[in-house]
Amino acid sequence: MRGRYQGRRGFKQRYVKKSIPQTYEDNPDQQYSYDAYSTQDYPQEHSSVKYVPKKAQTKQYADAGYYKEEEDKYAAQVQDYSLYAQQAYPKAKKDRVTVLMVAEKPSIASAIANILGKNVKSRKGSSRVAMIHEYTGDFYGTPAFFRVTSVAGHIFTRDFPKEYNNWKTVNPEDLFDAETVTIDNPKENFNITKHLLHEAKGLDYLVLWLDCDREGENICFEVLKVIGHLIPQSYEPNVYRAHFSSLAEKDIIDAYSSLNDGPNQNESLSVDARQIIDLKVGAAFTRLQTLTLQKKYPDLNFKTVSYGPCQTPTLGFCTDQYFKRLTFVPVDYWFLSAIIKRGDQTLKLSWDRNRVYSMVSFCREV
């Protein structure tokens, strides 16, 4: 531990930063107590919280990170009481609140801001793809400062733990029973997580303008996963969901005037299930196909033979079109094109029949 309390009887103890003393080895039975913190804002039972770690038996504990672990517990304890303070002593109502609106694409965020706001000012943020559009207005009868921005699709994706990454040592069949983990989307070079964390500072309300489908509901919860801890608990409700079907001005205004209380968790969970199925089926069969064909046809110049539930119907569309082209027999046809010119004006006429495949029929039509 990089500090200890020093004080005299009758005086308040003070925290003094200090490097780890050599006495850990010289005097292993020595104990140190750490006062989390004291403040008059807390009730009496929480005004003095002390954490006393176990006795250090040998210097081996310090070398193994024992004291680092105790410091982490201490920091977590301080954080717990910080959250307690926010809930026990909520903020007073502000004269002007801050509302963060998050859309699924940058173009949608721009459209929403320009429809709902006046004198909108735009600026760049932490992400190179997501702009921030700001304006002042009214939010449920309270003057508000609006900040409208976006993500770029899914913030997170799913993958297997690292121990399943080796194709040669892991049986593809084992992937169906393997646990999955949530990781940052490979598109994270957009810095969407950092962008949201920065723009969410000081917010009072969050309005989610993600697309109104299951994927959009899932991204709503991804946004909450990133910045949910920054949303104050003193306002209820403080997370809203906007439902809209187009970017027409009337639809956006109607959606804003009828906000719902948060996204649909059941629809979001269905997307989680779909992602897990796609990952397991796609990864297992991709590895099986690739390893099998590499052994059977070692001269083939390929690294991966990919498979996926979405790829299968797409491949079917491509092969159907390919065979249609192979079996296509060209046939002569006729059509009528008429252009009328009068002075500098030109008028092109269209024929309702479009085309005919018989010369006789064409002559009859004409």
Side-chain angles (χ1 to χ4, degrees):
M1 184 70 73
R2 296 181 297 174
R4 60 173 177 162
Y5 281 93
Q6 295 180 346
R8 295 170 56 189
R9 182 176 300 177
F11 292 88
K12 186 177 179 180
Q13 291 181 326
R14 299 176 59 192
Y15 186 73
V16 181
K17 287 188 176 181
K18 209 166 186 179
S19 59
I20 298 178
Q22 197 65 28
T23 54
Y24 284 146
E25 184 175 11
D26 301 335
N27 187 9
D29 294 332
Q30 186 173 358
Q31 291 191 40
Y32 297 91
S33 63
Y34 303 90
D35 188 349
Y37 60 93
S38 299
T39 173
Q40 296 178 356
D41 292 337
Y42 286 104
Q44 183 63 33
E45 61 268 26
H46 295 287
S47 62
S48 181
V49 182
K50 293 189 177 182
Y51 184 84
V52 182
K54 297 179 181 179
K55 293 183 179 181
Q57 300 299 326
T58 63
K59 188 174 183 298
Q60 179 181 0
Y61 286 99
D63 294 339
Y66 173 84
Y67 289 98
K68 178 63 170 66
E69 181 181 353
E70 296 298 335
E71 279 187 331
D72 292 341
K73 291 180 180 179
Y74 166 79
Q77 196 175 34
V78 173
Q79 177 67 19
D80 289 342
Y81 282 95
S82 176
L83 295 176
Y84 172 85
Q86 293 179 14
Q87 296 176 3
Y89 299 90
K91 299 177 181 178
K93 187 174 181 180
K94 298 180 179 180
D95 294 334
R96 188 178 77 170
V97 297
T98 299
V99 182
L100 175 65
M101 297 184 173
V102 181
E104 190 162 327
K105 306 175 186 68
S107 59
I108 298 178
S110 176
I112 292 171
N114 287 289
I115 291 174
L116 298 179
K118 296 180 179 179
N119 300 321
V120 179
K121 296 182 179 180
S122 301
R123 60 178 174 84
K124 293 182 178 180
S126 303
S127 172
R128 61 184 176 87
V129 297
M131 297 285 291
I132 302 97
H133 313 280
E134 298 172 328
Y135 62 94
T136 57
D138 180 87
F139 187 74
Y140 286 101
T142 304
F145 174 73
F146 291 87
R147 189 178 294 137
V148 187
T149 188
S150 73
V151 295
H154 279 283
I155 305 173
F156 303 106
T157 187
R158 288 188 178 273
D159 202 352
F160 294 108
K162 293 181 179 181
E163 55 265 27
Y164 291 93
N165 288 346
N166 194 318
W167 287 30
K168 295 183 179 180
T169 59
V170 177
N171 189 331
E173 186 177 349
D174 295 339
L175 297 178
F176 289 101
D177 297 322
E179 295 292 333
T180 61
V181 294
T182 302
I183 61 174
D184 288 339
N185 198 311
K187 297 187 300 184
E188 194 56 23
N189 57 342
F190 292 161
N191 291 324
I192 294 298
T193 299
K194 180 181 178 182
H195 171 74
L196 290 176
L197 288 171
H198 183 271
E199 300 306 326
K201 292 180 179 179
L203 88 162
D204 297 302
Y205 297 97
L206 173 65
V207 182
L208 299 166
W209 288 83
L210 287 303
D211 291 355
C212 297
D213 53 20
R214 292 182 178 182
E215 298 293 332
E217 299 298 314
N218 189 259
I219 301 175
C220 284
F221 282 94
E222 291 183 351
V223 172
L224 289 173
K225 182 178 180 179
V226 176
I227 63 175
H229 65 285
L230 297 176
I231 303 174
Q233 302 298 319
S234 53
Y235 304 99
E236 192 64 37
N238 50 13
V239 178
Y240 293 89
R241 178 72 166 103
H243 291 275
F244 59 104
S245 56
S246 74
L247 293 179
E249 182 176 351
K250 180 179 182 303
D251 289 343
I252 296 299
I253 294 176
D254 289 346
Y256 178 69
S257 61
S258 58
L259 299 175
N260 295 333
D261 296 343
N264 188 312
Q265 187 175 20
N266 290 332
E267 292 187 1
S268 175
L269 291 175
S270 70
V271 175
D272 289 340
R274 191 267 306 162
Q275 290 177 343
I276 294 174
I277 293 173
D278 286 353
L279 173 63
K280 292 188 174 184
V281 172
F285 281 95
T286 295
R287 295 187 187 189
L288 178 64
Q289 287 181 159
T290 302
L291 296 175
T292 301
L293 293 176
Q294 283 178 346
K295 291 179 181 178
K296 191 171 183 178
Y297 305 103
D299 295 335
L300 289 179
N301 185 20
F302 63 85
K303 294 183 179 180
T304 304
V305 181
S306 181
Y307 176 90
C310 295
Q311 294 174 345
T312 303
T314 304
L315 180 61
F317 298 146
C318 294
T319 53
D320 287 345
Q321 190 65 26
Y322 172 75
F323 286 116
K324 286 179 181 179
R325 293 184 61 186
L326 287 181
T327 58
F328 177 74
V329 178
V331 179
D332 293 335
Y333 64 90
W334 290 263
F335 65 94
L336 182 63
S337 177
I339 299 177
I340 300 176
K341 291 185 177 181
R342 184 176 181 179
D344 297 334
Q345 298 181 344
T346 301
L347 177 63
K348 186 176 182 180
L349 303 179
S350 60
W351 189 29
D352 290 341
R353 289 291 301 276
N354 191 18
R355 66 183 64 176
V356 294
Y357 295 91
S358 169
M359 184 64 180
V360 177
S361 299
F362 177 74
C363 294
R364 288 176 180 174
E365 293 286 340
V366 175

